[in-house]
Amino acid sequence: MNKRDQHHTTGSIKFSRRDFMKFSGMTILSAGIVGTHVDALGKQQVTWGFLLVDMKKCQGCTSCMLACSLVHHGVENPSLARIQILQNPYGSWPDDLTIAQCRQCVEPACVAACPVGALAPDPEFGNVTRVDASKCIGCKSCIAACPYTPSRPVWNFTEGHSQKCDLCAYTPYWNETGGPEGKKACVEMCPLGAITFTKIVPDQNREDSYTVNLRGLPWARLGYPGWDTPLLDTLFASARKRTGGGR
Ligand code: SF4
Ligand code: SF4
Protein backbone atom coordinates (compact mmCIF):
# COMPACT_ATOMS: atom_id res chain seq x y z
CA MET A 1 0.00 0.00 0.00
CA ASN A 2 1.53 3.29 -0.97
CA LYS A 3 1.62 6.48 1.03
CA ARG A 4 -1.38 7.97 -0.66
CA ASP A 5 -3.56 4.95 0.03
CA GLN A 6 -2.40 4.86 3.64
CA HIS A 7 -3.56 8.42 4.09
CA HIS A 8 -6.87 7.49 2.57
CA THR A 9 -7.56 4.55 4.82
CA THR A 10 -6.68 6.37 8.04
CA GLY A 11 -9.84 8.40 7.64
CA SER A 12 -7.96 11.63 8.36
CA ILE A 13 -8.66 13.12 4.97
CA LYS A 14 -9.10 16.81 4.33
CA PHE A 15 -11.02 17.83 1.30
CA SER A 16 -10.42 21.56 1.21
CA ARG A 17 -9.37 22.94 -2.17
CA ARG A 18 -5.95 24.36 -2.68
CA ASP A 19 -5.88 28.07 -2.97
CA PHE A 20 -4.02 28.32 -6.24
CA MET A 21 -6.43 30.68 -8.00
CA LYS A 22 -5.18 34.22 -7.84
CA PHE A 23 -6.42 35.83 -10.96
CA SER A 24 -9.82 37.51 -10.78
CA GLY A 25 -10.03 39.94 -13.65
CA MET A 26 -11.01 37.54 -16.40
CA THR A 27 -14.04 37.52 -18.59
CA ILE A 28 -16.75 35.44 -16.99
CA LEU A 29 -17.88 32.52 -19.12
CA SER A 30 -20.26 29.95 -17.77
CA ALA A 31 -19.51 26.25 -18.20
CA GLY A 32 -21.47 24.97 -21.13
CA ILE A 33 -20.19 27.38 -23.76
CA VAL A 34 -18.43 25.54 -26.54
CA GLY A 35 -14.96 26.91 -27.31
CA THR A 36 -15.08 29.52 -30.04
CA HIS A 37 -12.41 31.03 -32.20
CA VAL A 38 -11.85 34.33 -33.92
CA ASP A 39 -14.96 35.55 -35.67
CA ALA A 40 -15.47 37.96 -38.56
CA LEU A 41 -15.47 40.88 -36.14
CA GLY A 42 -12.12 39.87 -34.71
CA LYS A 43 -13.45 39.04 -31.25
CA GLN A 44 -11.55 37.07 -28.65
CA GLN A 45 -9.68 34.05 -30.02
CA VAL A 46 -10.48 31.28 -27.57
CA THR A 47 -8.66 28.01 -27.79
CA TRP A 48 -10.79 25.09 -28.82
CA GLY A 49 -9.83 22.87 -25.94
CA PHE A 50 -8.78 22.57 -22.30
CA LEU A 51 -7.04 20.00 -20.12
CA LEU A 52 -8.99 18.93 -17.03
CA VAL A 53 -7.46 16.96 -14.17
CA ASP A 54 -8.43 14.74 -11.26
CA MET A 55 -5.87 15.42 -8.53
CA LYS A 56 -7.43 12.76 -6.32
CA LYS A 57 -6.61 10.17 -8.97
CA CYS A 58 -3.04 11.33 -9.68
CA GLN A 59 -0.36 9.20 -7.99
CA GLY A 60 2.54 11.53 -8.70
CA CYS A 61 4.44 9.27 -11.10
CA THR A 62 5.35 12.30 -13.29
CA SER A 63 4.78 10.29 -16.48
CA CYS A 64 2.87 13.29 -17.85
CA MET A 65 5.87 15.59 -17.31
CA LEU A 66 8.30 13.17 -18.91
CA ALA A 67 5.98 12.55 -21.85
CA CYS A 68 5.54 16.30 -22.36
CA SER A 69 9.27 16.88 -22.42
CA LEU A 70 9.88 13.85 -24.63
CA VAL A 71 7.41 14.69 -27.40
CA HIS A 72 8.40 18.35 -27.52
CA HIS A 73 12.16 18.11 -26.97
CA GLY A 74 13.23 14.51 -27.45
CA VAL A 75 14.45 14.16 -23.85
CA GLU A 76 12.79 13.19 -20.58
CA ASN A 77 13.56 16.29 -18.53
CA PRO A 78 10.98 17.49 -15.98
CA SER A 79 12.46 21.00 -16.21
CA LEU A 80 11.33 21.18 -19.83
CA ALA A 81 7.78 19.94 -19.16
CA ARG A 82 4.87 22.31 -19.67
CA ILE A 83 2.72 20.43 -17.16
CA GLN A 84 3.98 20.27 -13.60
CA ILE A 85 3.31 17.85 -10.76
CA LEU A 86 3.89 19.42 -7.34
CA GLN A 87 4.41 17.06 -4.43
CA ASN A 88 4.13 18.04 -0.78
CA PRO A 89 5.78 15.33 1.32
CA TYR A 90 4.07 16.67 4.44
CA GLY A 91 0.60 16.75 2.88
CA SER A 92 -2.14 14.17 3.20
CA TRP A 93 -4.19 12.76 0.37
CA PRO A 94 -5.61 14.46 -1.61
CA ASP A 95 -3.73 17.63 -0.72
CA ASP A 96 -0.28 16.16 -1.21
CA LEU A 97 -0.29 16.51 -4.99
CA THR A 98 -1.13 19.27 -7.43
CA ILE A 99 -1.33 18.94 -11.19
CA ALA A 100 -0.44 22.35 -12.62
CA GLN A 101 -1.51 22.45 -16.23
CA CYS A 102 -1.99 25.54 -18.37
CA ARG A 103 -5.63 26.62 -18.24
CA GLN A 104 -5.60 27.99 -21.80
CA CYS A 105 -7.24 31.12 -20.38
CA VAL A 106 -10.00 32.85 -22.31
CA GLU A 107 -8.17 36.12 -21.70
CA PRO A 108 -4.57 34.98 -21.32
CA ALA A 109 -2.39 37.34 -19.32
CA CYS A 110 0.68 35.68 -20.80
CA VAL A 111 -0.34 36.68 -24.33
CA ALA A 112 -1.14 40.25 -23.25
CA ALA A 113 2.25 40.59 -21.56
CA CYS A 114 4.42 39.55 -24.49
CA PRO A 115 5.92 42.75 -25.94
CA VAL A 116 6.81 41.24 -29.29
CA GLY A 117 3.77 39.07 -30.06
CA ALA A 118 5.77 35.86 -29.70
CA LEU A 119 3.00 34.33 -27.61
CA ALA A 120 -0.20 34.23 -29.59
CA PRO A 121 -3.13 32.01 -30.58
CA ASP A 122 -2.28 29.64 -33.39
CA PRO A 123 -5.24 29.45 -35.80
CA GLU A 124 -3.69 26.40 -37.45
CA PHE A 125 -4.20 24.48 -34.21
CA GLY A 126 -7.54 25.67 -32.87
CA ASN A 127 -6.22 28.95 -31.47
CA VAL A 128 -4.15 27.29 -28.79
CA THR A 129 -1.75 29.93 -27.50
CA ARG A 130 1.88 29.03 -28.00
CA VAL A 131 5.31 30.61 -27.98
CA ASP A 132 7.04 31.18 -31.29
CA ALA A 133 10.60 30.53 -30.19
CA SER A 134 12.02 32.44 -33.15
CA LYS A 135 10.25 35.62 -31.97
CA CYS A 136 10.78 35.26 -28.21
CA ILE A 137 13.36 37.76 -26.91
CA GLY A 138 13.67 36.03 -23.54
CA CYS A 139 12.25 38.85 -21.41
CA LYS A 140 10.21 36.33 -19.36
CA SER A 141 7.26 38.75 -19.19
CA CYS A 142 4.82 35.90 -19.90
CA ILE A 143 6.24 33.84 -17.05
CA ALA A 144 5.79 36.79 -14.69
CA ALA A 145 2.32 37.61 -16.00
CA CYS A 146 0.72 34.17 -15.67
CA PRO A 147 -1.49 34.55 -12.59
CA TYR A 148 -1.06 30.97 -11.42
CA THR A 149 1.54 29.43 -9.16
CA PRO A 150 3.64 27.85 -10.43
CA SER A 151 3.68 29.93 -13.56
CA ARG A 152 2.48 27.83 -16.46
CA PRO A 153 4.88 29.22 -19.06
CA VAL A 154 8.31 27.80 -18.30
CA TRP A 155 11.79 28.83 -19.29
CA ASN A 156 13.53 26.59 -21.78
CA PHE A 157 17.01 26.77 -20.30
CA THR A 158 18.57 24.81 -23.13
CA GLU A 159 17.37 27.07 -25.93
CA GLY A 160 16.85 30.36 -24.07
CA HIS A 161 13.18 31.11 -24.63
CA SER A 162 9.81 30.75 -22.91
CA GLN A 163 7.45 27.94 -23.73
CA LYS A 164 3.98 26.88 -22.67
CA CYS A 165 1.48 24.11 -23.21
CA ASP A 166 0.37 24.02 -26.83
CA LEU A 167 -1.87 20.97 -26.40
CA CYS A 168 0.83 19.08 -28.30
CA ALA A 169 0.30 21.14 -31.45
CA TYR A 170 4.04 21.12 -32.18
CA THR A 171 5.63 17.85 -31.11
CA PRO A 172 8.59 17.12 -33.39
CA TYR A 173 9.48 13.96 -31.48
CA TRP A 174 6.02 12.36 -31.63
CA ASN A 175 4.52 10.78 -34.69
CA GLU A 176 1.00 11.92 -33.82
CA THR A 177 -1.15 14.90 -34.69
CA GLY A 178 -1.73 17.05 -31.62
CA GLY A 179 -3.58 20.25 -30.89
CA PRO A 180 -7.21 20.54 -29.80
CA GLU A 181 -8.30 18.09 -32.50
CA GLY A 182 -5.48 15.63 -31.91
CA LYS A 183 -3.73 13.69 -29.16
CA LYS A 184 -2.23 15.18 -26.04
CA ALA A 185 0.81 13.29 -24.70
CA CYS A 186 -0.05 13.77 -21.02
CA VAL A 187 -3.59 12.49 -21.57
CA GLU A 188 -2.30 9.52 -23.52
CA MET A 189 0.50 8.60 -21.12
CA CYS A 190 -1.06 9.05 -17.69
CA PRO A 191 -1.36 5.47 -16.41
CA LEU A 192 -4.12 6.51 -14.01
CA GLY A 193 -6.22 8.42 -16.51
CA ALA A 194 -6.00 11.50 -14.29
CA ILE A 195 -6.00 13.98 -17.19
CA THR A 196 -8.70 14.51 -19.78
CA PHE A 197 -9.63 17.01 -22.43
CA THR A 198 -12.75 19.04 -23.13
CA LYS A 199 -13.92 21.52 -25.71
CA ILE A 200 -16.30 23.07 -23.22
CA VAL A 201 -14.91 26.33 -21.85
CA PRO A 202 -14.46 25.90 -18.09
CA ASP A 203 -15.91 28.61 -15.88
CA GLN A 204 -13.14 31.21 -15.77
CA ASN A 205 -14.35 32.50 -12.43
CA ARG A 206 -14.14 29.26 -10.46
CA GLU A 207 -10.91 27.86 -9.13
CA ASP A 208 -12.13 24.26 -9.37
CA SER A 209 -13.59 24.36 -12.87
CA TYR A 210 -10.55 22.59 -14.35
CA THR A 211 -10.87 19.75 -11.83
CA VAL A 212 -13.13 16.79 -12.53
CA ASN A 213 -13.91 13.38 -11.07
CA LEU A 214 -12.39 10.80 -13.40
CA ARG A 215 -12.35 7.97 -10.87
CA GLY A 216 -15.30 5.91 -12.01
CA LEU A 217 -17.02 3.01 -10.36
CA PRO A 218 -13.92 0.89 -9.56
CA TRP A 219 -12.56 3.71 -7.43
CA ALA A 220 -15.87 4.04 -5.67
CA ARG A 221 -15.76 0.33 -4.88
CA LEU A 222 -12.41 0.92 -3.19
CA GLY A 223 -14.14 3.37 -0.91
CA TYR A 224 -12.68 6.57 -2.31
CA PRO A 225 -14.83 9.41 -1.03
CA GLY A 226 -16.48 12.16 -2.96
CA TRP A 227 -19.28 10.05 -4.34
CA ASP A 228 -22.93 10.75 -4.06
CA THR A 229 -24.24 7.80 -2.01
CA PRO A 230 -27.68 7.40 -3.63
CA LEU A 231 -26.03 7.55 -7.03
CA LEU A 232 -23.52 4.93 -5.92
CA ASP A 233 -26.27 2.63 -4.69
CA THR A 234 -27.93 2.91 -8.07
CA LEU A 235 -24.68 2.18 -9.91
CA PHE A 236 -23.84 -0.79 -7.71
CA ALA A 237 -27.35 -2.16 -8.08
CA SER A 238 -27.20 -2.00 -11.85
CA ALA A 239 -23.70 -3.52 -11.85
CA ARG A 240 -24.93 -6.38 -9.64
CA LYS A 241 -27.83 -6.94 -11.97
CA ARG A 242 -25.50 -7.09 -14.99
CA THR A 243 -23.08 -9.54 -13.42
CA GLY A 244 -25.66 -11.45 -11.40
CA GLY A 245 -23.31 -11.31 -8.43
CA GLY A 246 -23.00 -9.65 -5.06
CA ARG A 247 -21.21 -6.43 -4.29
S1 SF4 B 1 0.20 30.38 -19.32
FE1 SF4 B 1 -1.00 31.16 -17.56
S2 SF4 B 1 -2.01 33.05 -18.32
FE2 SF4 B 1 -1.27 31.91 -20.15
S3 SF4 B 1 -3.05 30.68 -20.79
FE3 SF4 B 1 -1.81 29.34 -19.42
S4 SF4 B 1 -2.66 29.63 -17.35
FE4 SF4 B 1 -3.47 31.32 -18.65
S1 SF4 C 1 0.90 10.82 -15.41
FE1 SF4 C 1 -1.08 10.90 -14.36
S2 SF4 C 1 -0.70 9.85 -12.39
FE2 SF4 C 1 1.31 10.33 -13.25
S3 SF4 C 1 1.82 12.31 -12.35
FE3 SF4 C 1 0.83 12.78 -14.30
S4 SF4 C 1 -1.32 13.06 -13.80
FE4 SF4 C 1 -0.37 12.03 -12.05
Side-chain angles (χ1 to χ4, degrees), residues 58-64 85 99 190-192 194-195:
C58 174
Q59 299 293 310
C61 68
T62 69
S63 296
C64 51
I85 302 296
I99 305 175
C190 176
L192 275 297
I195 310 171

Side-chain angles (χ1 to χ4, degrees), residues 55-158:
M55 299 190 210
K56 291 188 173 117
K57 205 173 183 189
C58 174
Q59 299 293 310
C61 68
T62 69
S63 296
C64 51
M65 295 180 69
L66 299 179
C68 179
S69 170
L70 189 60
V71 299
H72 286 96
H73 306 292
V75 293
E76 291 181 340
N77 187 333
S79 297
L80 292 173
R82 297 129 192 247
I83 184 169
Q84 297 163 67
I85 302 296
L86 311 180
Q87 306 194 9
N88 174 5
Y90 303 108
S92 298
W93 184 93
D95 294 320
D96 56 339
L97 283 177
T98 302
I99 305 175
Q101 85 281 25
C102 172
R103 294 167 67 106
Q104 310 295 351
C105 302
V106 170
E107 292 191 356
C110 57
V111 172
C114 181
V116 294
L119 214 174
D122 186 340
E124 194 182 329
F125 282 99
N127 286 328
V128 64
T129 51
R130 68 178 198 88
V131 176
D132 182 339
S134 67
K135 290 184 184 170
C136 177
I137 57 174
C139 66
K140 302 183 182 175
S141 298
C142 56
I143 296 174
C146 177
Y148 300 98
T149 303
S151 177
R152 297 332 193 234
V154 294
W155 181 247
N156 185 323
F157 64 95
T158 61

